Amino acid sequence: MGIPVSGKNLFPSNIAGLPTWFTIRANKDGWIARRKEIDFLIAMNAETAREDVLNLDPNRIVVYEETLKLNQYRKDLSFFPVPFAKLATQITPDSRLRKLLANMIYVGVVGELLEIDPNEMDLALTKQFKGKAKAVALNKTALDIGRKFAAENFDKTSVIYKTQRMNATKGKIIIDGNAAGALGCMFAGVTVATWYPITPSSSLCERLSDYMKDYRIEKDGKANFAIVQAEDELAAVGMAIGAGWAGARSVTSTAGPGISLMQEFIGLAYYAEIPVVIFDITRVGPSTGLPTRTQQSDILSMVYCSHGDTKHIVLLPASVEECFSMGYDAFDLSERFQTPVFVMSDLDLGMNNWMSDPFVYPKKKFDRGKVLSAEDLKRLGSFQRYGDVDGDGIPYRTLPGTNHPAAAYFTRGSGHNENAVYSERPDDYKRNMDRLNHKYETSRTYVPQPEVNDAKGARVGFLAFGTTHWAIIESLDQLKREYDMPVSYYRLRALPFTKDLVEFFERHDRVYVVEQNRDGQMAMLVKLELPAELISKLRNIRHYSGIPIDARFVTDELIAAEKGEQN
Amino acid sequence: MSTTMQPPTPLKHTNRLGYTLADYKGGDSTLCAGCGHDAITAQIIKAFYEYGVEPYRVAKLSGIGCSSKTPAYFLSHAHGFNGVHGRMPALATGVMLANQTLISIGVSGDGDTASIGMGQFVHLLRRNVPMIYIIENNGVYGLTKGQFSATADLGSKSKSGVSNDLPAIDVCAMAIELGCNFVARSFAGDVKQMIALLKAGLGHRGTALFDVISPCVTFNNHEGSTKSYKYAKDHEELLHDISYVPFFEQITVDYPDGEAKDVELHDGSHIRLRKTDKGYDPTNKTEALNSLRKCQESNEFLTGLIYINEQNPDFLTLLNTVDAPLATLPQERVQPNEEALREIMADLM
């Protein structure tokens, strides 16, 4: 139908049997962030139906299993009871199948009520069950039965929502963030991927495995990659680091608890300067937290991962397209800077399906970083593993297996000098730490730069990152239309910050950092970055209940805060 | 003119590849004089030289501990990676995934492997990652160390009289049970046995595990150390190779197959080593485990090649990766083309 749409799965941390919700948002303006209010409820679960009905605003629609008798709870809603169990008996004698087909019956009912073109629905059905003729037939019967029942029994005049054909989805794809990230890795030429299963990260390496089997097996049947499901996260990151040390593009993917486990190894990779890419698909913490809910609360854990003075590059994709392109960039950055690079996605982005323009093929050469070959060494005669030759803080390295007497050096997590020789000398240690810092400073101009939009006449601005973006842009629209309030928007796309940050603060009276965690972790980092005189402009809006942030929340918080400022 | 090629006459004091023994050496050891680990280092140097391995093709991995320092003391022309405590197996696995043309040697200790490293050790063995894995084991054998390791004998007493109440871990028996295809035990001072076993390990495709009993000279700081000095003087006949003349001399042994050797350690305690005899069949898993058990019951350490299986595939064979190092495959080979992306996108529309 060409209507922009988004879907979000709200599921419990359980394998089977507990209630889940799937929310579809469709609107002509293309807003895809979560919306607090539900307009059309399809209630199939006895345990949760009553509460869901009680939470609706007036005049909303409820399609429900007739036997639940939901119409007893409210008088101001439009109820559409459907005898799913009875209708399903018309399709098949198999009782197990009947339960499943009830879902397709309500799809038919809803399609009829919302006037979704039946042909489009049939097309979608055929695509969904591609190749399985029996399944298509069964489900089509269910669809038809639902449509017929609704047409014959329901008065549609109270259904205040209708679909109308648009042209907003032509050529678009639907994909989840983890699959997009996996594609980014594959097209970046990753050769070693290691992982340990954890919600919501597992599907990244699982999809990578599927894609690699299709596209990275050579003519002789051998794989030009290795994917290993490790025994735990420590082993996963350790293998990835060992591979990176030996020169391979390597990746591991995990969530918050895994990051905690990986800390020691990440500190080693930082200090010994070894490339590795780490995806953190963040979820609600702390500890086991809410494994199936979303949050952006690993920011400090990633930026300062490991004890001692460590600082890491963190990429902040906001869309599936950025999961792909930043997933790709992470490898260039990691090898260029000889350091761990984090890609921070979250459960909302990683596990839900998002609409996107098709991904663009990366047409540039891989940046494998400063690696000296045997030929280089023949020419140079020698090299210093941790020397700052080019002034950017980034040294040169050789790979094990290089056939030259000057190639080998000893890598260690303990103090070392420019020649990688063990050293406890204060001057060696400090010089090395300063060089590592200088390397980090250099990365400011290499990481994805922010997208900065100054609104005309705006005195305040938002600073946000990751999936908060979708709530922000909708909120900006609400603020303009409902409050006539222009607000600028700084979309942060990576850490470390660039000089744009300070300049943005200079141009506005107040900047609201909007983020999905309790303690305002990004606001803390912004504060550290700002000169003293600008810190007073910093504000913070935090959403951290585990469900994705919505635009109305942002708008209400901003309005309330700004009202407070005027007093 | 003869049509057959004569192999070049080997130069004196070079191996078949033309390297000298010096090419296999490393930096000076900073370990305590007389440390068993230094003996193992010397044997590694000799074995790699005699077997004929190109130094630049070797990757040296280690964890944290005294033994983990030793890769700096051999093969200075090989890249080395001293990692974090107990996690060398993960690093080694990653290294071999990235470049299976490397010859990896991992050096670890009883704490690094059998305490903190126990989890990774187990899974490394299961995977059968091709490498030499040496545990330089100075666990407590009735010694007076400050802390017991997981390989300390049940009932052994510390100097302060504290008794170890926990059963010892026999890494060899454990390894056989876990599917390791090359399990050897030796004593740091048994030069002949060590070098022979190391060369066998170099020829084995898979994890070659070495549990090497390596006496620690510095386990107490009391006046008892003079006792050790006295001991060294009293047991000069044990020293067949006097290459060190420190306060504490290396304990070396040489004894025939099938026989037991009583070895007195620096602190006056004893261990008993028993070599597998000439008729021992190391391919028989049951016999291997039974022999280990029998020796344990008589408080002896079975030494030699305890178990070997050349049939099972190593981890890289199972993964069926290309032979060329993954690390350096060119972009054209590892980046699917634009058509591939178009195909994937079309499928998602």
Side-chain angles (χ1 to χ4, degrees), chain A residues 299-358:
Chain A
I299 296 155
L300 293 179
S301 294
M302 277 187 279
V303 172
Y304 295 119
C305 206
S306 206
H307 56 277
D309 286 319
T310 58
K311 266 188 308 211
H312 304 286
I313 296 169
V314 182
L315 307 187
L316 304 164
S319 64
V320 290
E321 192 286 324
E322 285 188 337
C323 286
F324 173 76
S325 57
M326 289 187 186
Y328 176 96
D329 289 340
F331 291 90
D332 280 354
L333 285 167
S334 178
E335 292 198 312
R336 166 66 27 191
F337 288 90
Q338 295 169 25
T339 197
V341 170
F342 290 93
V343 181
M344 189 192 103
S345 178
D346 64 30
L347 187 145
D348 187 27
L349 183 56
M351 288 193 77
N352 283 317
N353 282 317
W354 298 72
M355 199 172 68
S356 168
D357 287 323

Side-chain angles (χ1 to χ4, degrees), chain A residues 56-99:
Chain A
L56 291 173
D57 288 339
N59 303 318
R60 298 309 191 256
I61 320 295
V62 185
V63 170
Y64 64 104
E65 162 53 56
E66 190 175 56
T67 54
L68 292 177
K69 294 198 177 56
L70 296 177
N71 50 0
Q72 66 181 294
Y73 300 120
R74 297 276 293 267
K75 292 288 165 253
D76 57 348
L77 302 174
S78 299
F79 288 99
F80 295 96
V82 182
F84 287 105
K86 240 196 290 173
L87 290 173
T89 60
Q90 299 174 24
I91 310 172
T92 174
D94 185 338
S95 59
R96 193 180 41 92
L97 272 177
R98 279 183 199 165
K99 261 190 122 198

Side-chain angles (χ1 to χ4, degrees), chain B residues 21-35:
Chain B
L21 186 66
D23 292 322
Y24 293 81
K25 295 201 167 142
D28 291 334
S29 171
T30 58
L31 297 173
C32 309
C35 178

Side-chain angles (χ1 to χ4, degrees), chain B residues 2-288:
Chain B
S2 167
T3 49
T4 56
M5 281 285 291
Q6 292 287 85
T9 317
L11 294 167
K12 249 189 170 168
H13 304 309
T14 62
N15 64 13
R16 63 183 179 91
L17 298 172
Y19 291 99
T20 65
L21 186 66
D23 292 322
Y24 293 81
K25 295 201 167 142
D28 291 334
S29 171
T30 58
L31 297 173
C32 309
C35 178
H37 299 348
D38 285 334
I40 301 172
T41 294
Q43 289 138 21
I44 292 171
I45 290 169
K46 206 125 189 279
F48 275 60
Y49 164 74
E50 286 177 10
Y51 187 89
V53 173
E54 284 141 320
Y56 76 88
R57 285 187 55 212
V58 176
K60 307 177 291 185
L61 289 313
S62 61
I64 295 287
C66 287
S67 53
S68 292
K69 290 168 64 166
T70 64
Y73 314 143
F74 59 86
L75 292 168
S76 59
H77 290 303
H79 281 73
F81 195 164
N82 185 216
V84 286
H85 201 21
R87 318 293 180 196
M88 176 267 283
L91 287 173
T93 306
V95 170
M96 292 311 287
L97 293 173
N99 186 347
Q100 61 178 302
T101 68
L102 295 172
I103 294 151
S104 281
I105 173 168
V107 179
S108 180
D110 44 293
D112 196 68
T113 285
S115 293
I116 184 171
M118 186 57 95
Q120 294 204 352
F121 177 59
V122 163
H123 290 279
L124 178 91
L125 296 176
R126 288 179 67 231
R127 291 193 182 101
N128 199 19
V129 176
M131 65 182 293
I132 288 180
Y133 190 107
I134 300 178
I135 304 171
E136 300 190 354
N137 194 346
N138 58 14
V140 184
Y141 307 107
L143 295 182
T144 57
K145 272 179 76 170
Q147 301 91 32
F148 292 120
S149 85
T151 58
D153 289 336
L154 182 65
S156 56
K157 278 195 162 42
S158 73
K159 186 91 180 180
S160 53
V162 177
S163 173
N164 173 35
D165 300 326
L166 302 176
I169 294 177
D170 180 339
V171 289
C172 290
M174 205 183 88
I176 295 171
E177 287 287 358
L178 287 168
C180 185
N181 298 286
F182 182 114
V183 179
R185 178 186 284 124
S186 189
F187 181 71
D190 194 338
V191 182
K192 266 217 288 261
Q193 190 184 57
M194 273 297 295
I195 292 180
L197 288 172
L198 282 168
K199 289 200 268 194
L202 278 166
H204 175 76
R205 178 127 185 121
T207 308
L209 177 68
F210 292 76
D211 178 22
V212 187
I213 299 162
S214 179
C216 173
V217 297
T218 306
F219 42 76
N220 65 54
N221 299 319
H222 321 287
E223 286 116 27
S225 56
T226 54
K227 182 178 162 203
S228 306
Y229 185 34
K230 175 181 185 301
Y231 149 77
K233 294 193 96 179
D234 286 349
H235 289 81
E236 277 187 46
E237 67 262 33
L238 284 178
L239 306 175
H240 297 264
D241 175 19
I242 308 186
S243 33
Y244 306 86
V245 194
F247 278 108
F248 305 111
E249 292 167 8
Q250 293 282 347
I251 303 164
T252 59
V253 299
D254 186 9
Y255 56 107
D257 292 341
E259 298 201 2
K261 177 79 181 177
D262 198 60
V263 179
E264 189 173 329
L265 301 178
H266 298 296
D267 71 336
S269 69
H270 290 253
I271 59 170
R272 197 169 169 77
L273 308 173
R274 177 176 287 283
K275 262 199 200 156
T276 55
D277 64 38
K278 280 206 162 37
Y280 178 80
D281 177 13
T283 65
N284 186 326
K285 195 182 268 201
T286 309
E287 183 177 343

Side-chain angles (χ1 to χ4, degrees), chain A residues 371-422:
Chain A
V371 179
L372 296 173
S373 63
E375 288 70 46
D376 293 325
L377 289 171
K378 233 186 275 181
R379 199 173 25 91
L380 296 163
S382 66
F383 88 108
Q384 284 194 312
R385 172 62 184 102
Y386 295 113
D388 186 4
V389 175
D390 299 331
D392 55 5
I394 307 170
Y396 286 79
R397 63 179 179 140
T398 57
L399 304 182
T402 302
N403 188 359
H404 191 279
Y409 60 90
F410 210 87
T411 304
R412 60 182 91 243
S414 45
H416 43 271
N417 63 19
E418 275 85 348
N419 292 310
V421 172
Y422 178 76

